[in-house]
């Protein structure tokens, strides 16, 4: 194979395609149960929640707000200013769910909601219950704080997902009517508002609307919002002055600090470091990548690359978490990755995975898929409990429950997953990720099928005008073997590009039992198996999963002298449940061997890692002393057990650490 | 010497006495310059500040508020609700300063201020400009938040100090009139308010007023405030309900959390752990110790001991700092001593030293003086810059300037001392500590003179009805030798009790060149040199100062695997100025020798400690990688230099760490 022939075009219009979700059927030991939980537990729970039927929980009022706006009930608006988005997030998850698992009752519920939305929409297209009910005269007067376009964006995403599932146009028509109104309101033309939302989201959502409607107006508007962001004078400052310096949130947001918080400190093309609210950053990046790819805007793509590089090489936790402080749920600065005062919001990792997916479609490099996988297998599924009923906002890498309770600097860190939240962003975000997981497995570029994730199931793929089927069978991430079967009606020439993950010590590929030399066909982290495929061809991929002692760059002061254990895509941790309290008293000797061992009865079946380590044994000598120059540390040998990070906090309240001392 | 004969009476009335401040003249290489700074720089600066004459600073308005209340000017109240206390703190420092350094101009300024206070005082005795000018009808309606009795307390302390310096009764009369009014307002009797202040202070201040006036009413009132604290139902909750749930501070204070914040969660006699705002705790403890000692209340003293023990054995930084979180400037829980998100307010360490001093007077045990010394030589003087013009509120043990600026979780930590503060508590608190430093050197109990601190100078002491003079000559804390000369008109039998500090490896005592066996005369950490002293007797004390590698109790997770270096009373640190950036990349080998070396030209002359250590040398291998299992750490040998913690941040902005990795 000639490598040069595979040099990827820098023509950004030649991007990879996704496989339509309904062409993919996941059947996977590891993932299917999560997807099932999302469909059978979380979506129904969410439905009850937005209908105010959860006992012991503050009523959401989300559906009720729409019913009141629709004139079906009387009453007042209740909830957060972005309460509408809870309905959209439910509807989007329903849309994804129906694409793979038709369910007439669920569809009926959704149709009824859509009918209400239709009635609630104003005649000019506007649709936001907070402003309709509470501040009808103040539309678009506080874009920084009031999430108006953010809510619109989530609705557009829901509309597209539901339309894709059902082919029913109604919800799409409501969305387009609203989008048309937004387009008539915002833009560079005189008389329009020259602004954007405080929370990026509408940009990527308008892009989705453009893709499904092919109406270029939405693409143009998305690009406008992106390019206007960070223009001087500052739009949010101007709006603030105009409305008499009134803040929506008590205490407001410091105007200078706020510029980074909202990513308006610089035009986005000039932003080379990820600053401010982490979710906002990655949502902005998604829109940037979409527009860059579609319009062939290499400068915009370069900005995406810069932000990507800054995040993954300087500001990302090993678990794929991002956001180093709870204050502003924000990025801080390069290599500042404290494990205990961390934020690492679940939604931010979801956004990072989505951003990675877009970058991967533009440039099929395994480093993007590596990060997507890291976020998925660690922080994202870690965000949900094993029963689908508890959720983390914050995903810490070091927890002492007593500190969470008694040191207010760590109050935002919870040692157990919470039932639901006043600001219900993370649970529905996990749901939509799980219900759309199939989208992230493959991408197709001309005659190349990229296998980015190893998840069992089948996919019907159109490659170079041929319909083929790819079946994966695997016990990944526990086992090293992935079996791929190709189904095709007639002999078909295409390249099956198999991602060789960054963590993989050594990979082996056999095609119909014939060993392939990977080094000869490796390109940008993929093994490019190009051949004329016949029905029933089998590829056996062995991804060696050595147990890795990961070190952080020494500039990460929080991790100095420590290691994190990783096997395959999974980062591991120590929990008090297995190793007793005061985990910081343990160190892992450099020479200690780690052994992988599957425990079928533990946490739904997990591969645990065991080692002989050392733990301080002479605490009792200290008695009431706090400091001493005389007491020398003594250590006992102990057996320790690591469990996958995603599975922590499913056995009651206890300590947890990812980074373990090594010496 | 028979040890049994020295068993201390548990009769709490038999407490030690202080030496009047004007009987003490400090002449000390180490301390005199600080005292000089306090008198010549800080007090004058403070005078300018309270008179609104500092350029580039918000006007304090503190004197002006009093002038308006006195009818000498018209205008409105400005400043914090406790702005009055700034005037009191200045006046108290002036009082202390005049006791050792008469200054007629300073006294004239003070007298003029006192004249204004007299005019400002209402006819019923009340004196608080915020309530007089701004809320005349709301006196005592929000004791939790409004610092009314706190301000009264600081005024009482000032009045006592100024009266002691000048024997002028006017300020004392104003104070007594106010105290009498408070006594008529608060108390257990029907019709009086059954309450107390949100910020303990008036308790210890009333005690001072009692000591100087011998009016037992003030002692009784002090005891009342202490014992009422924590009674159920909660006084602050009741006031809050009564005033319609109005909060003074925006957002208010969570009512349940607030109970610990204000130390009202339990009656103080039942409090066995230091909870809530650290300054409040130690101010409360001072009053508790005063009243316990004076009234022989052993239950109350037991509560003091419990709180003391909890603080020093579980909640104190090695620098003598207390308060583990900025949120509420509070204690958190046992062994929770984060070095970077720490609070460790200067005022809290001052309160801890004052509390220690009181405990020492009740029970002459060196452990109390050890903590007093630890706080004084590390956090307290560290709170002020070498030029007396900059001050720390927060005294961190680990600083990365970039984190202070860019990680909002650490915004409260400043890498350089600030000029002055809106809430001006710490600078005047340092001033009063320095101007009254002499009080803490000796205590006298019957015929025993305790030398608690080693500070050069002379003291005229009444011991067992004889007047003696003690002269100390020393280069402590740099050098190990303390020379003590006894002056006496006639042969006098008494015990000179020399504190042997906890850090001291081995002490030697010679009396007139005759070696004394310390072990035979040691009691509660003091060498009890009992003899018939003659004029000119000389005691030579050698306090060996080994360089100690201090370890923290292993339950302190923040310090695990690390050492702090201490020599004599001084805790050391590494600064970027000497050791370059990324201090976390350094470790101190277990076998590395540390060498002390005096550098006369550095930071006013300090003993530095030098060692050969290791630093990561292969950062460049990491390039843009954030995590890797392949790159092994490599280390270079480097020379590192430790400087005393108190002297940090006097050479520009840079990193600093106290706890250094060891392996």
């Amino acid at each position: 194979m000639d490598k040069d022939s595979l040099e990827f075009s820098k023509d950004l219009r030649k991007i990879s395609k996704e496989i339509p979700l309904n062409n993919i059927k996941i059947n996977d030991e590891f993932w299917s149960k999560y997807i099932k939980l999302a469909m059978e537990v979380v979506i129904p729970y969410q439905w009850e929640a937005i209908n105010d039927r959860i006992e012991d929980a503050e009523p959401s009022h989300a559906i009720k707000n729409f019913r009141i706006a629709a004139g079906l009930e009387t009453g007042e608006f209740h909830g957060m200013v972005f309460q509408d988005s809870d309905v959209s997030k439910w509807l989007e998850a329903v849309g994804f769910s129906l694409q793979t698992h038709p369910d007439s009752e669920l569809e009926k519920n959704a149709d009824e909601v859509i009918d209400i939305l239709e009635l609630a929409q104003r005649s000019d297209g506007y649709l936001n219950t907070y402003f309709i009910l509470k501040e009808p005269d103040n539309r678009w007067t506080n874009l920084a704080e009031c999430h108006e376009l953010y809510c619109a964006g989530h609705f557009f995403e829901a509309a597209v997902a539901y339309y894709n599932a059902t082919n029913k146009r109604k919800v799409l028509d409501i969305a387009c009517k609203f989008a048309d109104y937004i387009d008539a309101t915002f833009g560079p033309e005189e008389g329009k508002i020259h602004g954007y939302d405080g929370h990026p989201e509408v940009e990527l959502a308008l892009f989705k609307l453009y893709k499904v409607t092919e109406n270029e107006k939405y693409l143009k508007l998305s690009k406008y919002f992106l390019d206007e962001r960070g223009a001087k004078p500052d739009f949010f400052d101007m709006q603030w002055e105009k409305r008499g310096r009134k803040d929506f949130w008590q205490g407001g947001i410091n105007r200078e600090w706020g510029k980074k918080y909202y990513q308006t400190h610089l035009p986005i093309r000039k932003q080379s470091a990820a600053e401010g609210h982490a979710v906002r950053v990655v949502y902005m990046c998604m829109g940037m990548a979409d527009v860059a790819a579609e319009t062939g805007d290499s400068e915009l793509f370069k900005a995406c690359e810069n932000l990507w590089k800054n995040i993954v090489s300087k500001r990302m936790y090993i678990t794929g978490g991002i956001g180093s402080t709870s204050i502003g749920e924000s990025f801080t600065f390069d290599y500042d990755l404290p494990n205990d005062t961390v934020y690492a919001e679940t939604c931010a990792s979801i956004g990072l995975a989505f951003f990675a997916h877009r970058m991967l479609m533009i440039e099929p490099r395994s480093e993007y898929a590596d990060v997507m996988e890291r976020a998925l297998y660690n922080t994202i599924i870690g965000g949900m409990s094993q029963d689908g009923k508890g959720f983390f906002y914050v995903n810490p890498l070091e927890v002492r429950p007593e500190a969470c309770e008694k040191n207010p600097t760590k109050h935002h860190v919870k040692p157990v997953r919470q039932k639901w939240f006043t600001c219900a962003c993370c649970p529905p975000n996990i749901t939509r990720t799980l219900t759309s997981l199939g989208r992230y497995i493959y991408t197709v570029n001309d005659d190349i099928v990229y296998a980015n994730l190893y998840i069992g199931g089948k996919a019907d793929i159109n490659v170079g005008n041929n319909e083929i089927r790819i079946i994966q069978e695997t016990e990944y991430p526990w086992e090293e073997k992935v079996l791929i079967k190709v189904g095709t009606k007639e002999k078909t020439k295409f390249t099956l590009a198999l991602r060789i993950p960054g963590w993989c010590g050594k990979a082996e590929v056999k095609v119909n039992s014939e060993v392939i030399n990977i080094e000869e066909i490796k390109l940008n982290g993929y093994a490019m198996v190009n051949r004329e495929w016949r029905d029933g061809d089998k590829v056996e991929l062995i991804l060696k999963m050595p147990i890795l002692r990961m070190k952080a760059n020494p500039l990460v002061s929080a991790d100095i002298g420590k290691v994190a254990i990783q096997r395959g895509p999974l980062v591991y941790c120590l929990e008090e449940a297995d190793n007793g309290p005061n985990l910081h008293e343990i160190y892992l000797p450099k020479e200690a061997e780690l052994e992988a061992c599957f425990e079928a009865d533990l946490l739904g079946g997990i591969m645990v890692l065991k080692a002989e380590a050392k733990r301080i044994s002479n605490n009792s000598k200290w008695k009431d002393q706090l400091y001493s120059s005389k007491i020398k540390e003594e250590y006992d040998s102990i057996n320790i057990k690591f469990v996958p990070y995603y599975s922590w906090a499913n056995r009651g309240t206890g300590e947890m650490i990812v980074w373990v001392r090594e010496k």
Side-chain angles (χ1 to χ4, degrees), chain A:
Chain A
M1 173 166 293
D2 178 10
K3 280 191 188 181
D4 287 343
S5 71
L6 283 164
E7 177 102 52
F8 288 96
S9 166
K10 280 289 179 186
D11 175 1
L12 291 175
R13 279 184 174 273
K14 196 191 163 194
I15 60 163
S16 301
K17 291 188 182 64
E18 286 183 41
I19 316 300
L21 194 50
N22 53 15
N23 283 7
I24 296 165
K25 173 92 185 145
I26 290 175
N27 180 12
D28 183 83
E29 184 72 25
F30 186 83
W31 284 103
S32 291
K33 66 183 174 193
Y34 285 106
I35 296 168
K36 198 164 175 272
L37 277 179
M39 292 182 181
E40 296 178 5
V41 177
V42 190
I43 292 177
Y45 185 93
Q46 207 176 347
W47 175 242
E48 297 302 302
I50 59 179
N51 281 288
D52 308 334
R53 291 192 293 253
I54 305 286
E55 277 181 47
D56 315 325
E58 281 287 296
S60 144
H61 221 263
I63 291 283
K64 193 165 276 197
N65 288 334
F66 278 108
R67 290 180 57 83
I68 297 166
L72 300 169
E73 284 190 39
T74 54
E76 287 179 8
F77 177 91
H78 281 292
M80 308 289 274
V81 70
F82 44 76
Q83 204 74 359
D84 286 2
S85 64
D86 281 7
V87 175
S88 298
K89 285 168 178 173
W90 171 81
L91 185 60
E92 186 188 17
V94 170
F96 288 138
S97 177
L98 294 178
Q99 285 179 54
T100 55
H101 292 72
D103 176 333
S104 59
E105 200 192 338
L106 189 60
E107 192 171 329
K108 188 169 146 281
N109 288 341
D111 284 336
E112 283 171 15
V113 167
I114 291 164
D115 289 342
I116 300 168
L117 298 182
E118 187 184 29
L119 288 170
Q121 187 170 38
R122 303 292 99 163
S123 57
D124 56 8
Y126 186 77
L127 183 55
N128 179 301
T129 69
Y130 174 85
F131 283 95
I132 290 172
L133 300 177
K134 209 159 174 177
E135 298 197 45
D137 300 330
N138 291 332
R139 283 184 196 177
W140 316 126
T141 56
N142 188 346
L143 270 297
E145 295 177 281
C146 289
H147 294 72
E148 238 166 326
L149 292 169
Y150 166 89
C151 286
H154 274 297
F155 173 56
F156 299 162
E157 288 201 271
V160 170
Y162 193 73
Y163 171 73
N164 283 339
T166 61
N167 265 313
K168 294 179 186 165
R169 277 209 65 95
K170 184 189 267 189
V171 71
L172 202 59
D173 290 340
I174 301 170
C176 289
K177 189 173 170 188
F178 191 8
D180 292 344
Y181 169 66
I182 293 170
D183 183 59
T185 307
F186 291 87
E189 297 85 359
E190 211 174 323
K192 289 187 177 180
I193 300 172
H194 309 321
Y196 41 82
D197 200 81
H199 197 313
E201 154 67 25
V202 76
E203 300 81 358
L204 73 93
L206 281 166
F207 185 81
K208 286 187 176 179
L209 210 53
Y210 153 70
K211 288 301 271 187
V212 78
T213 63
E214 295 182 349
N215 184 340
E216 287 204 358
K217 181 163 75 174
Y218 304 141
L219 171 63
K220 232 175 106 187
L221 183 58
S222 172
K223 184 171 185 305
Y224 168 76
F225 282 135
L226 289 168
D227 277 333
E228 187 64 20
R229 196 168 205 91
K232 294 279 167 285
D234 185 272
F235 171 62
F236 296 152
D237 281 350
M238 288 191 293
Q239 283 215 316
W240 184 66
E241 293 291 352
K242 202 168 165 186
R243 65 177 184 270
R245 303 190 167 203
K246 271 188 216 143
D247 296 311
F248 182 84
W249 299 100
Q250 195 184 28
I253 283 195
N254 175 289
R255 301 226 68 76
E256 280 319 299
W257 184 75
K259 290 186 175 44
K260 283 192 174 172
Y261 175 79
Y262 291 127
Q263 299 80 45
T264 65
H265 56 296
L266 283 172
I268 59 171
R269 290 163 194 268
K270 306 260 187 231
Q271 294 184 22
S272 56
E275 302 288 2
H277 188 257
V279 172
R280 283 173 165 80
V281 172
V282 285
Y283 279 33
M284 176 180 85
C285 288
M286 283 188 250
M288 288 166 69
D290 285 335
V291 171
E294 189 69 14
T295 61
D297 186 333
S298 58
E299 187 192 57
L300 191 56
F301 181 65
K302 182 75 199 154
C304 292
E305 283 188 316
N306 288 342
L307 288 168
W308 172 267
K309 201 166 159 183
N310 179 252
I311 294 171
V312 304
S313 69
K314 290 174 182 165
R315 302 188 178 196
M316 179 184 74
Y317 289 92
I318 195 166
T319 51
I322 49 174
S324 297
T325 175
S326 64
I327 301 174
E329 307 172 346
S330 290
F331 287 105
T332 56
F333 62 98
D334 292 347
Y335 305 110
D336 184 43
L337 295 162
N339 295 306
D340 56 345
T341 56
V342 49
Y343 204 71
E345 187 178 339
T346 310
C347 288
S349 286
I350 290 171
L352 180 63
F354 291 173
F355 177 31
H357 177 59
R358 282 160 169 83
M359 294 300 277
L360 186 62
M361 287 199 290
I362 299 173
E363 276 199 319
R365 306 178 77 90
S366 66
E367 61 189 79
Y368 297 122
D370 281 356
V371 169
M372 180 168 79
E373 185 181 71
R374 187 179 287 283
L376 271 174
Y377 280 87
N378 297 288
T379 295
I380 298 174
I381 43 165
M384 187 166 84
S385 62
Q386 302 271 306
D387 62 5
K389 292 177 178 169
F391 298 89
F392 279 131
Y393 250 56
V394 172
N395 295 277
L397 284 80
E398 178 182 326
V399 169
R400 286 178 77 90
E402 198 172 11
C404 302
E405 184 195 347
K406 296 179 183 169
N407 185 332
T409 304
K410 295 170 189 166
H411 271 349
H412 65 286
V413 178
K414 304 295 174 200
V416 287
R417 292 175 184 79
Q418 310 290 297
K419 275 187 82 171
W420 198 262
F421 296 89
T422 320
C423 170
C425 64
C426 297
N429 231 337
I430 295 177
T431 318
R432 69 167 174 167
T433 307
L434 290 171
T435 50
S436 66
L437 186 66
R439 297 169 66 182
Y440 306 103
I441 302 174
Y442 302 100
T443 40
V444 179
N445 199 314
D446 277 350
D447 64 344
I448 307 171
V449 177
Y450 290 92
N452 305 307
L453 297 176
Y454 298 111
I455 295 176
K458 62 183 178 195
D460 293 325
I461 300 175
N462 184 305
V463 54
N465 291 325
N466 293 297
E467 289 297 330
I468 59 142
R469 169 167 286 188
I470 304 265
I471 295 173
Q472 279 194 41
E473 291 173 11
T474 180
E475 288 174 61
Y476 193 92
W478 310 126
E479 300 296 341
E480 300 176 336
K481 189 168 131 187
V482 181
L483 184 65
I484 296 175
K485 295 178 190 164
V486 175
T488 174
K489 281 189 189 129
E490 50 203 87
K491 286 187 285 182
T492 309
K493 204 166 154 48
F494 69 93
T495 299
L496 181 61
L498 303 166
R499 173 175 152 257
I500 311 300
W503 48 258
C504 181
K506 188 172 173 300
E508 295 167 15
V509 179
K510 286 186 212 163
V511 178
N512 298 332
S513 306
E514 182 200 338
V515 176
I516 308 284
N517 184 333
I518 288 189
E519 289 316 309
E520 285 181 7
I521 57 166
K522 211 169 158 187
L523 184 75
N524 293 326
Y526 287 83
M528 312 294 285
V529 186
N530 180 295
R531 57 183 275 131
E532 193 174 66
W533 297 88
R534 293 157 189 257
D535 191 49
D537 277 352
K538 281 186 195 170
V539 178
E540 193 180 302
L541 175 65
I542 307 289
L543 298 168
K544 291 284 179 198
M545 291 185 178
I547 301 171
L548 303 176
R549 289 183 180 225
M550 302 296 288
K551 288 260 177 193
N553 188 310
L555 294 172
V556 181
S557 61
D559 301 335
I560 199 85
K562 296 178 177 178
V563 287
I565 306 301
Q566 185 174 340
R567 179 180 179 275
L570 297 175
V571 174
Y572 278 73
C573 67
L574 293 177
E575 279 202 285
E576 185 175 340
D578 303 304
N579 306 291
N582 296 315
L583 297 174
H584 66 276
E585 292 185 352
I586 294 171
Y587 78 84
L588 188 63
K590 279 200 164 112
E591 64 283 2
E593 277 185 34
L594 284 142
E595 187 194 354
C597 166
F598 194 78
E599 294 198 8
D601 297 332
L602 187 63
L603 292 162
I606 55 169
M607 189 74 76
V608 302
L609 305 179
K610 293 178 178 178
E612 192 175 294
K614 300 282 183 181
R615 146 172 256 146
I616 289 177
S617 60
N618 61 336
N619 271 351
S620 60
K621 278 201 184 156
W622 282 83
K623 296 196 184 76
D624 275 340
Q625 280 182 92
L626 189 50
Y627 303 105
S628 166
S629 63
K630 294 190 184 115
I631 305 173
K632 300 292 163 208
E633 284 160 9
E634 291 165 25
Y635 285 90
D636 275 346
S637 287
I638 54 156
N639 294 313
I640 60 171
K641 186 200 271 190
F642 291 86
V643 296
Y645 173 76
Y646 78 81
S647 70
W648 85 279
N650 278 292
R651 292 175 290 169
T653 302
E655 289 180 31
M656 183 277 291
I657 53 172
V658 169
W659 291 96
V660 183
R661 288 194 299 140
E662 182 194 57
K663 53 181 192 175

